Amino acid sequence: MSFILKPVDTVENISPEDFKKNYLDPRRPLIIKGLTKSWPAREKWTTEYLKEIAGDVNVSLMDNSKADPSKPINSSVANMRFGDYLDLIKREPTELRIFFFNLFKHVPDLIKDITLPKDLMGGFIESMPAMFFGGSNSVTFLHYDIDLPHLFHTHFGGRKHIILFDNKWKERLYCIPNATYALEDYDVANPDFEKFPALKGVEGYEVFLEHGDTLFMPTGMWHWMKYLDGSFSLSLRAWDASITRKAQSVFNLAIKGGLDSVLKMALKAPYAKYRERLAIKRAERALAKGSPK
């Protein structure tokens, strides 16, 4: 059993007017298959090429294990040479992944291989192109991005399974208080509705990205990702035009980022257990109210 999931609209290309009217303004996800066809990166960026230009860079690695309550979220479990890691994910399944890696700082000329889709919208944060790498079997936990950007997420070199939820479902997803991620005790791909009843009836989207596909994820959208092959992605971030949304971003960074990390490291396991109990209570209360509007 799974959530109530529907496919995401898919287009080859889209006009700025259609994009704004049907996806940006109503905050609906979209797959654009042809967005990268003019990018040199589409053919050029292979694991062998990336190994050649940045193989000696040391990278921090995460895995699928539940977050340590005494450490900030996304703490590393290991370090490795980038080239050795790329060999690993192409050679065999692994849970190890690289999260939010700005490879462009190490190889600035890589920026010439991509084109920001400024014809579709403005507000791109040009200093923060982020790359994500994973071996088959690696999973990114269910969360939404703390700074609330719009995301253009392009995948390279394999396939990726993604499940999305609108932010209105956050309480039913067992959102951890003062955080932007969900309780990590359930399997998003195969949830146990008896143990976590608030999940039953939650509606979302299911996506399978292939090489060169770009997924537009609107601000605040929850996402869970699993690498089906050893592969990698590029995320381009853009601010929402709303002043209210920008203010919420600053609040999230201060409270759900800074303060939460301090409390986690100071109070450790008792604080983590308290937040998990509160997430369950809030989910049960939201379930009793029915589906969000």
Side-chain angles (χ1 to χ4, degrees), residues 183-204:
L183 192 69
E184 295 179 72
D185 296 332
Y186 64 87
D187 180 359
V188 175
N190 187 29
D192 184 339
F193 293 130
E194 289 190 7
K195 190 173 181 180
F196 302 100
L199 299 176
K200 191 171 185 178
V202 170
E203 300 170 2

Side-chain angles (χ1 to χ4, degrees), residues 175-181 255-257 259-260 263 271 275 282:
C175 179
I176 298 294
N178 296 329
T180 59
Y181 52 94
I255 302 301
K256 297 183 179 181
L259 179 60
D260 180 63
L263 290 172
Y271 177 61
R275 293 196 310 166
R282 289 180 176 178

Side-chain angles (χ1 to χ4, degrees), residues 88-145:
L88 173 66
I89 66 172
K90 298 308 290 186
R91 183 177 66 245
E92 61 191 68
T94 177
E95 291 185 359
L96 294 174
R97 59 188 175 86
I98 304 175
F99 182 82
F100 212 95
F101 178 34
N102 191 343
L103 183 57
F104 298 82
K105 286 186 176 180
H106 301 280
V107 190
D109 280 351
L110 277 180
I111 201 69
K112 298 175 183 177
D113 294 342
I114 66 172
T115 302
L116 299 178
K118 294 181 180 179
D119 57 327
L120 295 182
M121 66 172 295
F124 281 94
I125 310 170
E126 297 190 32
S127 62
M128 291 182 65
M131 297 189 72
F132 303 81
F133 295 75
S136 60
N137 291 341
S138 64
V139 172
T140 303
F141 56 85
L142 181 62
H143 71 287
Y144 66 95
D145 282 27

